[in-house]
Amino acid sequence: MSDVELREFNRIMKFNGGEKDGQFATAFYKGLGGPEKALEFYADITTDGTEKDAGKVRLDAVKDFQQVMGPALANATDPDTKNHLPASWGDEFRRLGTQQISWMPHQMTKPYGYQVLGGLMRYGNYDPSFINPIAEHLTQLHKEDPDKLLTHVGQDQGEHYGFNPSGKLGSGEDPLNSVLEALGHSPEASEKFFTDPPTAYNEDGTVKQDGKLGFKSYLDVFTDKDFLWNADSNDAYLYGNEDANRAAHNVGPEALGHALESATTGRPYDSDDMSDAVRHTPERAGLVHDIVDKFGSDPELLKHNGDSGESGPLYAMKDSLGDITSEYMGDFQQAMYEENAGSDMFPTFGSAAGLDPGHAQKFLSEVGQDPHAYAAITAAQQAYTADVVNGVVNDPTTSTTSMDGRVRDAVAPGAAIAGIMSDSRADAIYQYHAASDADFNEAAADKAKWVSRILGMGVDKAAEHVPILGAPIGWASEDIQESVMKSIEQDTTTDAEHAAGGEYSHGRSEAIRSAQDAVDNAVRHNSKIDMQTADDLQRAARTAAGISHSDGAQWNSESHH
């Protein structure tokens, strides 16, 4: 195809490939001549357009090609659409996965089918019936022999060369990373992949009858400290460049984080920032419980040492774990002071994860050392706390406890989390040299999405709950976002303060201020609360926040020793 023809092809595929009845996508893939011909077609165009001399115009067109071919395959293989490919396509893709594929005469280096298929599947929301057998088969092959499906087809050809023209998250050399990224875009499939009992597969991709696997879940497989992640790169001189080598080995853990994020949130990991939260199913919440137990009991897996000592194998997935924490903020707040799972004051969004308090603290401690995770957790914590305080001040109640006492209770768990975050930030900067103050401040800007999403959960938690004055969901979103930005920028420690043991004095001040802001937002439109009462409520919030921030920071600090 010429550049003009390829652009026209992409336009037609983008417009028609997602048809609800699947007619176009199914007819197109059938028209290619079957699974093997589909792989050859995809490989031919992507390699041609990613060669060093292909040029930017062709590369851009091939990037678009990848992004239209994947969703069309997802549509064509969805058994719920009126028109779809037979299940035998999945069987055949698995058989071809371990076979070498060629599309040119006298081809020297032939990739495995899974290397090509992985690049094709990186985009699109796939049905579990199609993608999960592929993901299980690939994982089992990798566990048995991590090098089995590597051909180095793109070695020294540039990072874009090969079957992942996007160049995002690896070269696509290791198909396991590609399929984890595909699961990151396929929430229903990833939830089932991590929560359903595993199925054993033979080498040829057929189901192994009565096959014993030796593990209970894929979470256990990927979080085994001895699991080997391949470097996903075309760089022939990787081992002479420590930073590039580290980044290439982090591709797999990062893709794993994306898959877990979609599994636990019910959304593709990179979905629209303002998309609504999806109510937590028992399976999703149970998976979060297992994730927190796993890393809370073995935080070394996530440890990131910047310039000295060993890092854990999975630290690159901390930003995804931060997003998961934010999504489950009600569950983490419940864990801080051992609130019951059915709490009215600290509701979960759907099924409760029932987190172990000790594991939750260690998990937050380790995850919070990542600037992006810290920013997401801080934003979600403040939004959730503001919503709880708003409920105390403005919702009807039969409680005989004073309002100032209830406000104290409302701000305490969030402030304890803020204390853990302050101490973790100081650890990252001063103990592990894994990040700088500037890194933490820069990460704040793109995490504001959590404020609106958490407030949306709060509005949805009960039909009778109405935002202040019937305003839209973001009744206080801008105010809270501003408060979050200020907190993150102020929660900092100078070298001198660190030397004097003042790791989190600014963070404590910010926790106090944000708790007062939550009360200010809640009382602003309540005409029944006079100035003196408002003053008492602000004082109650400040006192509780100060105590609980210190409580969280100390709890975190002591857990290191």
Side-chain angles (χ1 to χ4, degrees), residues 319 323 370-377 379 425 435-450 484-485 488-489:
D319 58 344
D323 284 351
D370 175 78
H372 290 276
Y374 163 94
I377 293 167
R425 174 173 175 156
S436 67
D437 254 341
D439 295 328
F440 281 93
N441 293 340
E442 284 166 16
D446 68 343
K447 295 301 177 182
K449 65 181 179 184
W450 287 108
V484 168
M485 295 295 288
I488 291 172
E489 286 165 9

Side-chain angles (χ1 to χ4, degrees), residues 81-153:
T81 55
K82 184 179 172 187
N83 300 277
H84 56 81
L85 296 169
S88 60
W89 274 63
D91 301 338
E92 183 66 2
F93 274 132
R94 294 197 305 280
R95 186 188 72 78
L96 292 166
T98 55
Q99 308 300 309
Q100 291 188 300
I101 302 289
S102 63
W103 54 94
M104 294 181 295
H106 315 299
Q107 191 170 332
M108 297 289 288
T109 310
K110 299 176 184 177
Y112 287 102
Y114 270 147
Q115 290 179 294
V116 181
L117 183 64
L120 173 54
M121 288 179 65
R122 278 183 175 236
Y123 294 91
N125 186 341
Y126 290 87
D127 189 85
S129 65
F130 174 73
I131 190 175
N132 284 14
I134 289 169
E136 290 202 64
H137 184 218
L138 243 176
T139 303
Q140 290 168 28
L141 290 169
H142 183 106
K143 186 175 184 293
E144 197 176 303
D145 178 4
D147 297 329
K148 184 178 183 63
L149 298 175
L150 304 185
T151 57
H152 307 294
V153 68

Side-chain angles (χ1 to χ4, degrees), residues 12 15 20 25 55 61 90-91 171 196 202 208 289 292 306 315 334 364 387 397 403 414 445 470 503 533 542-543 559:
I12 293 168
F15 188 79
K20 281 190 177 168
D91 301 338
S171 65
D196 283 358
N202 293 308
K208 185 184 285 185
H289 177 96
V292 173
Y315 73 87
Q334 283 185 1
L364 286 169
D387 189 64
T397 181
M403 189 181 285
E503 262 77 358
T533 306
R542 291 196 305 268
T543 303
S559 75

Side-chain angles (χ1 to χ4, degrees), residues 251-288:
V251 168
E254 207 173 324
L256 171 62
H258 295 164
L260 287 171
E261 204 174 330
S262 85
T264 54
T265 65
R267 291 186 312 277
Y269 80 90
D270 53 358
S271 61
D272 175 36
D273 282 357
M274 304 316 291
S275 60
D276 291 339
V278 180
R279 197 169 284 280
H280 304 156
T281 61
E283 291 77 15
R284 287 186 201 122
L287 178 57
V288 171

Side-chain angles (χ1 to χ4, degrees), residues 69-318:
M69 286 288 285
L73 181 62
N75 194 12
T77 54
D78 184 350
D80 297 329
T81 55
K82 184 179 172 187
N83 300 277
H84 56 81
L85 296 169
S88 60
W89 274 63
D91 301 338
E92 183 66 2
F93 274 132
R94 294 197 305 280
R95 186 188 72 78
L96 292 166
T98 55
Q99 308 300 309
Q100 291 188 300
I101 302 289
S102 63
W103 54 94
M104 294 181 295
H106 315 299
Q107 191 170 332
M108 297 289 288
T109 310
K110 299 176 184 177
Y112 287 102
Y114 270 147
Q115 290 179 294
V116 181
L117 183 64
L120 173 54
M121 288 179 65
R122 278 183 175 236
Y123 294 91
N125 186 341
Y126 290 87
D127 189 85
S129 65
F130 174 73
I131 190 175
N132 284 14
I134 289 169
E136 290 202 64
H137 184 218
L138 243 176
T139 303
Q140 290 168 28
L141 290 169
H142 183 106
K143 186 175 184 293
E144 197 176 303
D145 178 4
D147 297 329
K148 184 178 183 63
L149 298 175
L150 304 185
T151 57
H152 307 294
V153 68
Q155 192 162 42
D156 209 22
Q157 294 285 332
E159 279 308 282
H160 288 282
Y161 181 82
F163 317 111
N164 180 28
S166 72
K168 290 181 180 173
L169 207 61
S171 65
E173 164 70 14
D174 188 340
L176 178 64
N177 301 340
S178 295
V179 86
L180 286 171
E181 187 71 356
L183 286 171
H185 291 128
S186 309
E188 184 192 354
S190 56
E191 179 185 329
K192 286 178 171 292
F193 178 75
F194 286 109
T195 60
D196 283 358
T199 300
Y201 286 88
N202 293 308
E203 171 95 8
D204 64 358
T206 55
V207 173
K208 185 184 285 185
Q209 300 302 326
D210 304 322
K212 298 284 187 287
L213 282 168
F215 59 85
K216 290 182 179 175
S217 79
Y218 288 106
L219 180 65
D220 289 345
V221 172
F222 291 122
T223 56
D224 186 318
K225 69 180 189 306
D226 295 324
F227 185 85
L228 288 172
W229 297 96
N230 289 314
D232 202 346
S233 170
N234 290 333
D235 188 345
Y237 305 101
L238 198 61
Y239 292 92
N241 183 335
E242 195 177 331
D243 288 344
N245 189 16
R246 190 182 302 118
H249 277 94
N250 280 339
V251 168
E254 207 173 324
L256 171 62
H258 295 164
L260 287 171
E261 204 174 330
S262 85
T264 54
T265 65
R267 291 186 312 277
Y269 80 90
D270 53 358
S271 61
D272 175 36
D273 282 357
M274 304 316 291
S275 60
D276 291 339
V278 180
R279 197 169 284 280
H280 304 156
T281 61
E283 291 77 15
R284 287 186 201 122
L287 178 57
V288 171
H289 177 96
D290 293 345
I291 289 168
V292 173
D293 272 1
K294 178 73 66 178
F295 294 117
S297 59
D298 192 4
E300 293 290 323
L301 288 166
L302 298 173
K303 192 167 291 302
H304 184 198
N305 275 302
D307 57 7
S308 60
E310 286 294 310
S311 289
L314 298 176
Y315 73 87
M317 63 187 282
K318 281 192 199 184

Side-chain angles (χ1 to χ4, degrees), residues 324-530:
I324 293 169
T325 303
S326 303
E327 177 84 21
Y328 285 78
M329 184 48 64
D331 301 88
F332 279 91
Q333 292 221 10
Q334 283 185 1
M336 289 301 98
Y337 290 108
E338 305 192 30
E339 187 81 10
N340 71 67
S343 171
D344 287 333
M345 185 181 275
F346 300 101
T348 58
F349 190 60
S351 296
L355 304 179
D356 173 89
H359 287 160
Q361 176 269 316
K362 285 188 168 62
F363 177 87
L364 286 169
S365 172
E366 205 58 56
V367 171
Q369 291 177 29
D370 175 78
H372 290 276
Y374 163 94
I377 293 167
T378 299
Q381 180 274 114
Q382 289 196 19
Y384 185 90
T385 300
D387 189 64
V388 173
V389 170
N390 180 57
V392 167
V393 174
N394 292 305
D395 286 355
T397 181
T398 56
S399 174
T400 56
T401 304
S402 66
M403 189 181 285
D404 64 336
R406 295 181 74 230
V407 164
R408 275 194 194 92
D409 294 342
V411 302
I417 289 174
I420 294 171
M421 290 297 104
S422 290
D423 194 51
S424 293
R425 174 173 175 156
D427 281 347
I429 295 168
Y430 293 104
Q431 186 171 344
Y432 298 111
H433 308 288
S436 67
D437 254 341
D439 295 328
F440 281 93
N441 293 340
E442 284 166 16
D446 68 343
K447 295 301 177 182
K449 65 181 179 184
W450 287 108
V451 173
S452 294
R453 191 172 283 158
I454 296 292
L455 291 177
M457 290 181 186
V459 171
D460 194 45
K461 69 175 178 267
E464 68 271 17
H465 181 92
V466 180
I468 294 172
L469 294 182
I473 282 174
W475 52 270
S477 186
E478 285 186 18
D479 289 343
I480 297 169
Q481 286 182 22
E482 194 178 318
S483 179
V484 168
M485 295 295 288
K486 196 184 288 185
S487 290
I488 291 172
E489 286 165 9
Q490 298 294 325
D491 184 9
T492 183
T493 316
T494 65
D495 290 347
E497 286 167 332
H498 174 70
E503 262 77 358
Y504 37 80
S505 60
H506 296 296
R508 183 174 180 276
S509 296
E510 284 308 306
I512 290 169
R513 182 196 53 75
S514 75
Q516 177 164 316
D517 284 352
V519 173
D520 289 346
N521 272 318
V523 302
R524 192 176 297 161
H525 301 294
N526 191 322
S527 57
K528 296 176 184 174
I529 293 181
D530 60 30

